[in-house]
Amino acid sequence: MNILLCPLSDGGYLYPALAVGRELRLRGHRVSVLGRAGAAPFAAEAGLPFAAAEEFGGERAFSAARWGVMGLAQYRATVRAARQARADLLVTSVLCNGALLAGETLDVPVVVIGFSIHLWTYRSGGEGEPQYGRTRGNRTLETLALYEATREEAGLAARPSRRSRAKVAAATAAATAGGPDESPLLGDALLLRGDPELEYPGAELPPRVHQVGPLSWEPAADQTELAAVDAALARSGKPVVYVHLGRFFGGGSPWPRLNATFTGGRYQAVVEQGRTAEPCPAPGADILLVRKPWLGPLVDRAGLVLTAGTSAPVLGALLRGRPLGVTPNGSEQPVLAGALLRAGAAVHLPRTGEPDQAGLVDAAWRDDRLRSHAHRLGQRLADAAADGPRRAADLVEQTARTSDRQPATSRENHGYSISRPGPRGRGEPLGGRAAVDRSALRLS
């Protein structure tokens, strides 16, 4: 089977897909990766062939920061690359509307790798769940609305050109309440990287959603860079807190509270800048700013992890038994933060500097019960991680077997296709970039 991995190229999305791709290749499948040019070294380290999306008209199409506005470019690049690879199945990331639509055009199944928790409406149950920021129904509604808008831009929909919010809400209800397996957002299978304990008690996931565990993989740490980190930490000698910054989603900069927490206190911080804006560490703060493609060795050196609540640092911390302090903002952050608080593996740290965050960090560090809960949940995740890529690969193969669609190579002449196959199966140039100017959808 020919499989094209087309996840978002940021590490938190790319690395789990590479973990699955490695297992599929071991099983004899032909696996290749489509992504931003900067992702090429990671695909190479994973032992998988790589194609740059820029060569297929997909510049910035696989950026997590621009997922809400690059759906059309992602769609076109995926269609072209999948035709060239003669792909029989696509593996993509949650929120990749363009890849989902490419699967429809090519008539091949799509497996979606999700977050560590389910983001959208449950099939049933979940009554009484605190709604962090916005409800699951609202989050589902807006994500589906963006999917529909991208579908229209791609010229695929034989539907009204403009759909009222009420009509989209009705479609969402039909896709999630009575028959959630109809939701296009799930692909043919959606793989969650967490643990059932992270879902709200009594809630039932939609039929196509499966728990597979963390899907852990990351590039090996550069030993010279790691030695430089150790030398910098040794100069302070203070206990280490690892801080992994995610996107702010308009929630304001975390730097004022980080500077207040790690200036003149008993702890030092290693701060992974991640996808955030310009860093602003204070001159006297005990902060080591880094930007690394790996986090495992940095978490190993820390006794506590502070994060907004994105999946990669949360899973990285729990797999090593580290408790967390969470300051959620957008995307999956509020939902995952709520799950961690229920499990007793995290404490909530307010966005502002009040109350005294240094005191909260110190209390969390010394909380043996918090550490015990984090270790317990981490052990569950570690047990799942040992077999996660195999379970995910099983589901990919099962999805391919049960799909009643034909391979892409036998269904090229769709009347609704945007492009036609060119030389060597590659799509013809589409001519120009669509003039689409929509703000990225905020999910929380």
Side-chain angles (χ1 to χ4, degrees):
M1 180 166 57
N2 292 337
I3 299 171
L4 178 66
L5 307 182
C6 45
L8 296 173
S9 294
D10 302 72
Y13 300 88
L14 174 66
Y15 298 167
L18 294 179
V20 178
R22 283 160 54 90
E23 174 65 23
L24 288 165
R25 190 169 193 188
L26 287 174
R27 298 184 180 199
H29 301 293
R30 296 181 60 186
V31 181
S32 53
V33 184
L34 174 69
R36 295 201 311 267
F42 308 122
E45 185 166 344
L48 299 174
F50 180 83
E54 291 86 345
E55 297 181 7
F56 295 90
E59 182 181 0
R60 296 188 293 177
F62 292 91
S63 167
R66 297 180 61 81
W67 74 268
V69 296
M70 298 302 293
L72 182 60
Q74 184 185 99
Y75 164 76
R76 291 172 167 174
T78 304
V79 167
R80 290 165 166 172
R83 283 176 173 158
Q84 180 164 294
R86 302 174 67 85
D88 302 304
L89 181 142
L90 306 179
V91 176
T92 190
S93 303
V94 67
L95 307 180
C96 282
N97 292 326
L100 289 172
L101 294 169
E104 177 182 331
T105 291
L106 297 168
D107 222 9
V108 299
V110 182
V111 173
V112 179
I113 298 177
F115 297 123
S116 53
I117 40 80
H118 187 55
L119 188 63
W120 299 306
T121 310
Y122 287 126
R123 185 184 192 190
S124 64
E127 292 83 1
E129 179 185 20
Q131 302 299 323
Y132 303 99
R134 59 178 62 187
T135 66
R136 284 183 181 269
N138 181 268
R139 190 176 286 110
T140 305
L141 170 66
E142 294 209 356
T143 314
L144 184 61
L146 185 60
Y147 166 87
E148 292 287 353
T150 306
R151 196 173 196 279
E152 180 185 331
E153 290 172 5
L156 299 183
R159 305 179 183 184
S161 60
R162 291 290 181 268
R163 306 186 71 201
S164 70
R165 199 171 178 84
K167 289 181 178 179
V168 175
T172 303
T176 58
D181 209 35
E182 296 302 314
S183 174
L185 302 175
L186 307 181
D188 291 87
L190 174 65
L191 312 183
L192 296 181
R193 297 183 283 131
D195 182 88
E197 185 176 338
L198 295 175
E199 304 301 334
Y200 194 73
E204 181 182 1
L205 293 169
R208 283 182 289 149
V209 179
H210 309 273
Q211 296 277 1
V212 297
L215 300 179
S216 299
W217 184 89
E218 66 177 17
D222 183 286
Q223 293 304 306
T224 300
E225 294 180 14
L226 199 54
V229 168
D230 285 335
L233 296 179
R235 284 193 289 273
S236 168
K238 296 180 178 181
V240 178
V241 175
Y242 177 67
V243 182
H244 190 104
L245 300 180
R247 291 181 61 203
F248 300 159
F249 293 96
S253 171
W255 282 103
R257 57 183 171 80
L258 288 178
N259 288 327
T261 302
F262 296 104
T263 299
R266 38 181 327 264
Y267 302 100
Q268 62 178 320
V270 175
V271 178
E272 169 56 56
Q273 186 177 338
R275 304 198 308 271
T276 59
E278 194 68 25
C280 303
D286 289 311
I287 291 175
L288 174 63
L289 186 69
V290 299
R291 187 188 288 274
K292 306 296 184 186
W294 32 264
L295 63 80
L298 300 176
V299 175
D300 287 338
R301 285 156 173 74
L304 180 71
V305 173
L306 307 186
T307 171
T310 51
S311 291
V314 166
L315 293 174
L318 291 175
L319 285 170
R320 293 163 176 81
R322 303 303 194 266
L324 295 113
V326 291
T327 308
N329 193 355
S331 189
E332 86 270 36
Q333 297 171 14
V335 183
L336 181 52
L340 294 170
L341 294 173
R342 285 195 309 271
V347 296
H348 178 250
L349 301 178
R351 293 184 191 178
T352 64
E354 298 295 336
D356 176 27
Q357 292 228 349
L360 291 176
V361 168
D362 186 53
W365 184 286
R366 298 172 184 273
D367 190 337
D368 290 337
R369 186 174 181 183
L370 178 71
R371 198 168 298 276
S372 175
H373 282 303
H375 183 270
R376 178 191 56 78
L377 182 55
Q379 189 58 58
R380 288 176 58 98
L381 288 164
D383 291 343
D387 210 26
R390 184 193 64 78
R391 284 195 301 274
D394 285 346
L395 286 164
V396 169
E397 292 177 332
Q398 178 183 335
T399 299
R401 287 194 301 268
T402 57
S403 174
D404 59 0
R405 301 169 182 170
Q406 296 299 313
T409 53
S410 66
R411 294 294 300 278
E412 288 289 5
N413 195 29
H414 292 301
Y416 51 78
S417 292
I418 292 293
S419 62
R420 292 289 185 270
R424 294 165 294 166
R426 189 167 177 175
E428 299 285 6
L430 300 178
R433 182 178 300 167
V436 179
D437 184 17
R438 287 196 315 279
S439 298
L441 185 66
R442 185 178 172 189
L443 292 183
S444 70

